[in-house]
PDB file of all heavy atoms in Angstrom:
ATOM      1  N   SER A1573       2.390  -3.489  23.381  1.00 85.00           N
ATOM      2  CA  SER A1573       2.609  -2.876  22.020  1.00 85.00           C
ATOM      3  C   SER A1573       1.700  -1.664  21.926  1.00 85.00           C
ATOM      4  O   SER A1573       0.721  -1.513  22.632  1.00 85.00           O
ATOM      5  CB  SER A1573       2.296  -3.868  20.941  1.00 85.00           C
ATOM      6  OG  SER A1573       0.934  -3.886  20.658  1.00 85.00           O
ATOM      7  N   PHE A1616      17.323  -6.152  18.081  1.00 93.00           N
ATOM      8  CA  PHE A1616      16.042  -5.563  18.371  1.00 93.00           C
ATOM      9  C   PHE A1616      16.125  -4.843  19.692  1.00 93.00           C
ATOM     10  O   PHE A1616      16.926  -5.212  20.571  1.00 93.00           O
ATOM     11  CB  PHE A1616      14.920  -6.655  18.526  1.00 93.00           C
ATOM     12  CG  PHE A1616      14.376  -7.214  17.320  1.00 93.00           C
ATOM     13  CD1 PHE A1616      14.308  -8.595  17.119  1.00 93.00           C
ATOM     14  CD2 PHE A1616      13.862  -6.396  16.293  1.00 93.00           C
ATOM     15  CE1 PHE A1616      13.774  -9.156  15.971  1.00 93.00           C
ATOM     16  CE2 PHE A1616      13.283  -6.961  15.158  1.00 93.00           C
ATOM     17  CZ  PHE A1616      13.280  -8.335  14.988  1.00 93.00           C
ATOM     18  N   PHE A1621       8.691  -4.318  23.829  1.00 92.00           N
ATOM     19  CA  PHE A1621       8.578  -4.937  22.505  1.00 92.00           C
ATOM     20  C   PHE A1621       8.899  -6.418  22.626  1.00 92.00           C
ATOM     21  O   PHE A1621       9.872  -6.794  23.263  1.00 92.00           O
ATOM     22  CB  PHE A1621       9.546  -4.235  21.584  1.00 92.00           C
ATOM     23  CG  PHE A1621       9.624  -4.797  20.171  1.00 92.00           C
ATOM     24  CD1 PHE A1621       8.508  -4.968  19.425  1.00 92.00           C
ATOM     25  CD2 PHE A1621      10.865  -5.155  19.636  1.00 92.00           C
ATOM     26  CE1 PHE A1621       8.594  -5.464  18.115  1.00 92.00           C
ATOM     27  CE2 PHE A1621      10.981  -5.664  18.357  1.00 92.00           C
ATOM     28  CZ  PHE A1621       9.822  -5.798  17.601  1.00 92.00           C
ATOM     29  N   THR A1622       8.074  -7.260  21.955  1.00 96.00           N
ATOM     30  CA  THR A1622       8.302  -8.738  22.084  1.00 96.00           C
ATOM     31  C   THR A1622       9.463  -9.254  21.275  1.00 96.00           C
ATOM     32  O   THR A1622       9.902 -10.388  21.516  1.00 96.00           O
ATOM     33  CB  THR A1622       7.034  -9.491  21.612  1.00 96.00           C
ATOM     34  OG1 THR A1622       6.659  -8.981  20.307  1.00 96.00           O
ATOM     35  CG2 THR A1622       5.888  -9.287  22.594  1.00 96.00           C
ATOM     36  N   GLY A1623       9.967  -8.439  20.310  1.00 95.00           N
ATOM     37  CA  GLY A1623      10.955  -8.954  19.377  1.00 95.00           C
ATOM     38  C   GLY A1623      12.224  -9.446  20.033  1.00 95.00           C
ATOM     39  O   GLY A1623      12.662 -10.583  19.817  1.00 95.00           O
ATOM     40  N   LEU A1627      13.069 -13.548  20.501  1.00 98.00           N
ATOM     41  CA  LEU A1627      14.197 -14.163  19.724  1.00 98.00           C
ATOM     42  C   LEU A1627      15.301 -14.577  20.646  1.00 98.00           C
ATOM     43  O   LEU A1627      15.955 -15.638  20.423  1.00 98.00           O
ATOM     44  CB  LEU A1627      14.690 -13.174  18.669  1.00 98.00           C
ATOM     45  CG  LEU A1627      14.078 -13.204  17.247  1.00 98.00           C
ATOM     46  CD1 LEU A1627      14.140 -14.642  16.658  1.00 98.00           C
ATOM     47  CD2 LEU A1627      12.647 -12.762  17.257  1.00 98.00           C
ATOM     48  N   GLY A1693      12.212  -9.600  10.715  1.00 94.00           N
ATOM     49  CA  GLY A1693      10.747  -9.532  10.811  1.00 94.00           C
ATOM     50  C   GLY A1693      10.328  -8.233  11.484  1.00 94.00           C
ATOM     51  O   GLY A1693      11.151  -7.313  11.649  1.00 94.00           O
ATOM     52  N   ALA A1694       9.083  -8.173  11.855  1.00 92.00           N
ATOM     53  CA  ALA A1694       8.462  -7.074  12.559  1.00 92.00           C
ATOM     54  C   ALA A1694       8.011  -5.933  11.643  1.00 92.00           C
ATOM     55  O   ALA A1694       7.380  -5.009  12.118  1.00 92.00           O
ATOM     56  CB  ALA A1694       9.366  -6.478  13.664  1.00 92.00           C
ATOM     57  N   GLU A1695       8.292  -6.029  10.364  1.00 87.00           N
ATOM     58  CA  GLU A1695       7.780  -5.009   9.425  1.00 87.00           C
ATOM     59  C   GLU A1695       7.816  -5.632   7.985  1.00 87.00           C
ATOM     60  O   GLU A1695       8.547  -6.566   7.755  1.00 87.00           O
ATOM     61  CB  GLU A1695       8.708  -3.748   9.476  1.00 87.00           C
ATOM     62  CG  GLU A1695      10.140  -4.037   8.966  1.00 87.00           C
ATOM     63  CD  GLU A1695      11.086  -2.844   9.082  1.00 87.00           C
ATOM     64  OE1 GLU A1695      10.719  -1.878   9.676  1.00 87.00           O
ATOM     65  OE2 GLU A1695      12.228  -2.994   8.563  1.00 87.00           O
ATOM     66  N   PRO A1696       6.991  -5.063   7.104  1.00 85.00           N
ATOM     67  CA  PRO A1696       6.980  -5.633   5.754  1.00 85.00           C
ATOM     68  C   PRO A1696       8.249  -5.320   5.008  1.00 85.00           C
ATOM     69  O   PRO A1696       8.867  -4.273   5.215  1.00 85.00           O
ATOM     70  CB  PRO A1696       5.790  -4.901   5.064  1.00 85.00           C
ATOM     71  CG  PRO A1696       5.080  -4.149   6.136  1.00 85.00           C
ATOM     72  CD  PRO A1696       6.024  -3.965   7.266  1.00 85.00           C
ATOM     73  N   ASP A1715      12.439 -14.542   6.560  1.00 98.00           N
ATOM     74  CA  ASP A1715      11.417 -13.664   7.088  1.00 98.00           C
ATOM     75  C   ASP A1715      10.689 -14.379   8.238  1.00 98.00           C
ATOM     76  O   ASP A1715      10.375 -15.557   8.084  1.00 98.00           O
ATOM     77  CB  ASP A1715      10.414 -13.340   5.943  1.00 98.00           C
ATOM     78  CG  ASP A1715       9.360 -12.342   6.380  1.00 98.00           C
ATOM     79  OD1 ASP A1715       9.516 -11.633   7.377  1.00 98.00           O
ATOM     80  OD2 ASP A1715       8.321 -12.264   5.613  1.00 98.00           O
ATOM     81  N   ASN A1716      10.412 -13.702   9.299  1.00 98.00           N
ATOM     82  CA  ASN A1716       9.529 -14.336  10.300  1.00 98.00           C
ATOM     83  C   ASN A1716       8.493 -13.319  10.797  1.00 98.00           C
ATOM     84  O   ASN A1716       8.741 -12.115  10.860  1.00 98.00           O
ATOM     85  CB  ASN A1716      10.323 -14.980  11.420  1.00 98.00           C
ATOM     86  CG  ASN A1716      11.044 -13.972  12.287  1.00 98.00           C
ATOM     87  OD1 ASN A1716      10.496 -13.486  13.283  1.00 98.00           O
ATOM     88  ND2 ASN A1716      12.259 -13.609  11.912  1.00 98.00           N
ATOM     89  N   TYR A1717       7.356 -13.870  11.169  1.00 98.00           N
ATOM     90  CA  TYR A1717       6.188 -13.002  11.485  1.00 98.00           C
ATOM     91  C   TYR A1717       5.557 -13.324  12.813  1.00 98.00           C
ATOM     92  O   TYR A1717       5.574 -14.494  13.244  1.00 98.00           O
ATOM     93  CB  TYR A1717       5.137 -13.217  10.358  1.00 98.00           C
ATOM     94  CG  TYR A1717       3.723 -12.726  10.655  1.00 98.00           C
ATOM     95  CD1 TYR A1717       3.410 -11.385  10.454  1.00 98.00           C
ATOM     96  CD2 TYR A1717       2.740 -13.561  11.172  1.00 98.00           C
ATOM     97  CE1 TYR A1717       2.125 -10.936  10.756  1.00 98.00           C
ATOM     98  CE2 TYR A1717       1.474 -13.134  11.453  1.00 98.00           C
ATOM     99  CZ  TYR A1717       1.150 -11.799  11.247  1.00 98.00           C
ATOM    100  OH  TYR A1717      -0.085 -11.340  11.525  1.00 98.00           O
ATOM    101  N   GLY A1718       5.032 -12.349  13.421  1.00 97.00           N
ATOM    102  CA  GLY A1718       4.268 -12.537  14.660  1.00 97.00           C
ATOM    103  C   GLY A1718       3.748 -11.214  15.134  1.00 97.00           C
ATOM    104  O   GLY A1718       4.076 -10.165  14.575  1.00 97.00           O
ATOM    105  N   LEU A1719       2.956 -11.244  16.195  1.00 96.00           N
ATOM    106  CA  LEU A1719       2.452  -9.999  16.790  1.00 96.00           C
ATOM    107  C   LEU A1719       2.182 -10.212  18.247  1.00 96.00           C
ATOM    108  O   LEU A1719       1.872 -11.311  18.690  1.00 96.00           O
ATOM    109  CB  LEU A1719       1.162  -9.511  16.050  1.00 96.00           C
ATOM    110  CG  LEU A1719      -0.106 -10.373  16.055  1.00 96.00           C
ATOM    111  CD1 LEU A1719      -1.287  -9.570  15.583  1.00 96.00           C
ATOM    112  CD2 LEU A1719       0.095 -11.581  15.123  1.00 96.00           C
ATOM    113  N   SER A1720       2.403  -9.154  19.002  1.00 96.00           N
ATOM    114  CA  SER A1720       2.294  -9.214  20.446  1.00 96.00           C
ATOM    115  C   SER A1720       1.022  -9.850  20.960  1.00 96.00           C
ATOM    116  O   SER A1720       1.053 -10.692  21.858  1.00 96.00           O
ATOM    117  CB  SER A1720       2.403  -7.815  21.093  1.00 96.00           C
ATOM    118  OG  SER A1720       3.192  -6.977  20.398  1.00 96.00           O
ATOM    119  N   GLU A1721      -0.111  -9.443  20.367  1.00 97.00           N
ATOM    120  CA  GLU A1721      -1.401  -9.889  20.849  1.00 97.00           C
ATOM    121  C   GLU A1721      -1.505 -11.425  20.805  1.00 97.00           C
ATOM    122  O   GLU A1721      -2.237 -12.016  21.571  1.00 97.00           O
ATOM    123  CB  GLU A1721      -2.524  -9.300  20.014  1.00 97.00           C
ATOM    124  CG  GLU A1721      -2.666  -7.792  20.152  1.00 97.00           C
ATOM    125  CD  GLU A1721      -1.791  -7.019  19.134  1.00 97.00           C
ATOM    126  OE1 GLU A1721      -0.779  -7.612  18.647  1.00 97.00           O
ATOM    127  OE2 GLU A1721      -2.101  -5.868  18.807  1.00 97.00           O
ATOM    128  N   GLY A1724       3.874 -12.715  19.928  1.00 97.00           N
ATOM    129  CA  GLY A1724       5.121 -12.020  19.587  1.00 97.00           C
ATOM    130  C   GLY A1724       5.699 -12.750  18.387  1.00 97.00           C
ATOM    131  O   GLY A1724       4.972 -13.409  17.639  1.00 97.00           O
ATOM    132  N   PRO A1725       7.024 -12.712  18.157  1.00 98.00           N
ATOM    133  CA  PRO A1725       7.585 -13.502  17.042  1.00 98.00           C
ATOM    134  C   PRO A1725       7.327 -14.983  17.386  1.00 98.00           C
ATOM    135  O   PRO A1725       7.191 -15.292  18.564  1.00 98.00           O
ATOM    136  CB  PRO A1725       9.075 -13.187  17.119  1.00 98.00           C
ATOM    137  CG  PRO A1725       9.305 -12.640  18.454  1.00 98.00           C
ATOM    138  CD  PRO A1725       8.066 -11.968  18.901  1.00 98.00           C
ATOM    139  N   THR A1782      -6.042  -9.461  12.954  1.00 96.00           N
ATOM    140  CA  THR A1782      -4.691  -8.884  12.901  1.00 96.00           C
ATOM    141  C   THR A1782      -4.574  -7.626  12.068  1.00 96.00           C
ATOM    142  O   THR A1782      -3.703  -6.829  12.275  1.00 96.00           O
ATOM    143  CB  THR A1782      -3.654  -9.893  12.391  1.00 96.00           C
ATOM    144  OG1 THR A1782      -3.955 -10.113  10.971  1.00 96.00           O
ATOM    145  CG2 THR A1782      -3.676 -11.213  13.140  1.00 96.00           C
ATOM    146  N   ASP A1784      -3.532  -7.764   9.247  1.00 95.00           N
ATOM    147  CA  ASP A1784      -2.425  -8.035   8.328  1.00 95.00           C
ATOM    148  C   ASP A1784      -2.891  -8.769   7.089  1.00 95.00           C
ATOM    149  O   ASP A1784      -3.709  -9.704   7.215  1.00 95.00           O
ATOM    150  CB  ASP A1784      -1.334  -8.864   9.053  1.00 95.00           C
ATOM    151  CG  ASP A1784      -0.588  -8.088  10.086  1.00 95.00           C
ATOM    152  OD1 ASP A1784      -0.342  -6.848   9.829  1.00 95.00           O
ATOM    153  OD2 ASP A1784      -0.228  -8.652  11.141  1.00 95.00           O
ATOM    154  N   VAL A1805       3.632 -11.042   4.606  1.00 91.00           N
ATOM    155  CA  VAL A1805       2.681  -9.987   4.892  1.00 91.00           C
ATOM    156  C   VAL A1805       3.101  -8.703   4.136  1.00 91.00           C
ATOM    157  O   VAL A1805       4.183  -8.215   4.342  1.00 91.00           O
ATOM    158  CB  VAL A1805       2.569  -9.701   6.411  1.00 91.00           C
ATOM    159  CG1 VAL A1805       1.741  -8.469   6.722  1.00 91.00           C
ATOM    160  CG2 VAL A1805       1.986 -10.908   7.101  1.00 91.00           C
ATOM    161  N   ARG A1808      -1.449  -3.795   5.496  1.00 84.00           N
ATOM    162  CA  ARG A1808      -2.484  -3.906   6.473  1.00 84.00           C
ATOM    163  C   ARG A1808      -3.796  -3.356   5.949  1.00 84.00           C
ATOM    164  O   ARG A1808      -3.853  -2.605   4.999  1.00 84.00           O
ATOM    165  CB  ARG A1808      -2.094  -3.120   7.717  1.00 84.00           C
ATOM    166  CG  ARG A1808      -0.834  -3.712   8.399  1.00 84.00           C
ATOM    167  CD  ARG A1808      -0.515  -2.938   9.663  1.00 84.00           C
ATOM    168  NE  ARG A1808      -1.591  -2.848  10.587  1.00 84.00           N
ATOM    169  CZ  ARG A1808      -1.894  -3.718  11.510  1.00 84.00           C
ATOM    170  NH1 ARG A1808      -1.173  -4.803  11.681  1.00 84.00           N
ATOM    171  NH2 ARG A1808      -2.911  -3.500  12.306  1.00 84.00           N
ATOM    172  N   MET A1812      -2.590   1.511  10.271  1.00 84.00           N
ATOM    173  CA  MET A1812      -1.383   1.458  11.072  1.00 84.00           C
ATOM    174  C   MET A1812      -0.161   1.540  10.149  1.00 84.00           C
ATOM    175  O   MET A1812      -0.086   0.834   9.163  1.00 84.00           O
ATOM    176  CB  MET A1812      -1.354   0.143  11.883  1.00 84.00           C
ATOM    177  CG  MET A1812      -0.186   0.113  12.875  1.00 84.00           C
ATOM    178  SD  MET A1812      -0.089  -1.359  13.826  1.00 84.00           S
ATOM    179  CE  MET A1812       0.981  -2.406  12.893  1.00 84.00           C
ATOM    180  N   ILE A1814       4.126   1.250   9.977  1.00 89.00           N
ATOM    181  CA  ILE A1814       5.288   0.754  10.741  1.00 89.00           C
ATOM    182  C   ILE A1814       6.478   1.613  10.362  1.00 89.00           C
ATOM    183  O   ILE A1814       6.940   1.574   9.210  1.00 89.00           O
ATOM    184  CB  ILE A1814       5.520  -0.761  10.473  1.00 89.00           C
ATOM    185  CG1 ILE A1814       4.218  -1.514  10.873  1.00 89.00           C
ATOM    186  CG2 ILE A1814       6.687  -1.214  11.368  1.00 89.00           C
ATOM    187  CD1 ILE A1814       4.377  -2.997  10.765  1.00 89.00           C
ATOM    188  N   ASN A1819       5.062   0.552  15.610  1.00 84.00           N
ATOM    189  CA  ASN A1819       3.671   0.712  15.064  1.00 84.00           C
ATOM    190  C   ASN A1819       3.154   2.129  15.379  1.00 84.00           C
ATOM    191  O   ASN A1819       3.176   2.563  16.564  1.00 84.00           O
ATOM    192  CB  ASN A1819       2.749  -0.314  15.728  1.00 84.00           C
ATOM    193  CG  ASN A1819       3.251  -1.720  15.543  1.00 84.00           C
ATOM    194  OD1 ASN A1819       4.153  -1.944  14.745  1.00 84.00           O
ATOM    195  ND2 ASN A1819       2.663  -2.647  16.291  1.00 84.00           N
TER     196      ASN A1819
HETATM  197  O1  DLL B 973       6.543  -7.042  15.611  1.00 82.88           O
HETATM  198  C1  DLL B 973       6.548  -9.200  16.669  1.00 82.88           C
HETATM  199  C2  DLL B 973       7.788  -9.573  15.926  1.00 82.88           C
HETATM  200  C3  DLL B 973       9.022  -9.193  16.414  1.00 82.88           C
HETATM  201  C4  DLL B 973       7.719 -10.322  14.777  1.00 82.88           C
HETATM  202  C5  DLL B 973      10.150  -9.633  15.771  1.00 82.88           C
HETATM  203  C6  DLL B 973       8.826 -10.749  14.074  1.00 82.88           C
HETATM  204  C7  DLL B 973      10.071 -10.404  14.609  1.00 82.88           C
HETATM  205  P1  DLL B 973       4.188  -6.069  17.213  1.00 82.88           P
HETATM  206  O2  DLL B 973       5.128  -5.003  17.677  1.00 82.88           O
HETATM  207  O3  DLL B 973       2.981  -6.339  18.031  1.00 82.88           O
HETATM  208  O4  DLL B 973       4.977  -7.458  17.205  1.00 82.88           O
HETATM  209  O5  DLL B 973       3.836  -5.734  15.734  1.00 82.88           O
HETATM  210  C8  DLL B 973       3.052  -6.692  15.015  1.00 82.88           C
HETATM  211  O6  DLL B 973       4.059  -6.002  12.904  1.00 82.88           O
HETATM  212  O7  DLL B 973       0.684  -7.116  13.028  1.00 82.88           O
HETATM  213  C9  DLL B 973       2.510  -6.835  11.345  1.00 82.88           C
HETATM  214  O8  DLL B 973       1.711  -5.728  10.892  1.00 82.88           O
HETATM  215  C10 DLL B 973       3.895  -6.393  11.548  1.00 82.88           C
HETATM  216  N1  DLL B 973       4.846  -7.510  11.252  1.00 82.88           N
HETATM  217  C11 DLL B 973       5.438  -8.367  12.137  1.00 82.88           C
HETATM  218  N2  DLL B 973       6.244  -9.251  11.458  1.00 82.88           N
HETATM  219  C12 DLL B 973       6.125  -8.961  10.160  1.00 82.88           C
HETATM  220  C13 DLL B 973       6.705  -9.507   8.974  1.00 82.88           C
HETATM  221  C14 DLL B 973       6.051  -7.775  16.426  1.00 82.88           C
HETATM  222  N3  DLL B 973       7.565 -10.503   8.993  1.00 82.88           N
HETATM  223  C15 DLL B 973       2.802  -6.200  13.596  1.00 82.88           C
HETATM  224  N4  DLL B 973       6.330  -8.948   7.793  1.00 82.88           N
HETATM  225  C16 DLL B 973       2.074  -7.216  12.778  1.00 82.88           C
HETATM  226  C17 DLL B 973       5.412  -7.946   7.744  1.00 82.88           C
HETATM  227  C18 DLL B 973       5.233  -7.855   9.999  1.00 82.88           C
HETATM  228  N5  DLL B 973       4.910  -7.364   8.823  1.00 82.88           N
END
Side-chain angles (χ1 to χ4, degrees):
S1573 83
F1616 278 130
F1621 176 54
T1622 51
L1627 268 305
E1695 65 184 9
D1715 184 18
N1716 69 91
Y1717 165 83
L1719 61 167
S1720 326
E1721 295 88 336
T1782 66
D1784 288 324
V1805 171
R1808 296 182 54 88
M1812 187 178 95
I1814 303 184
N1819 304 347

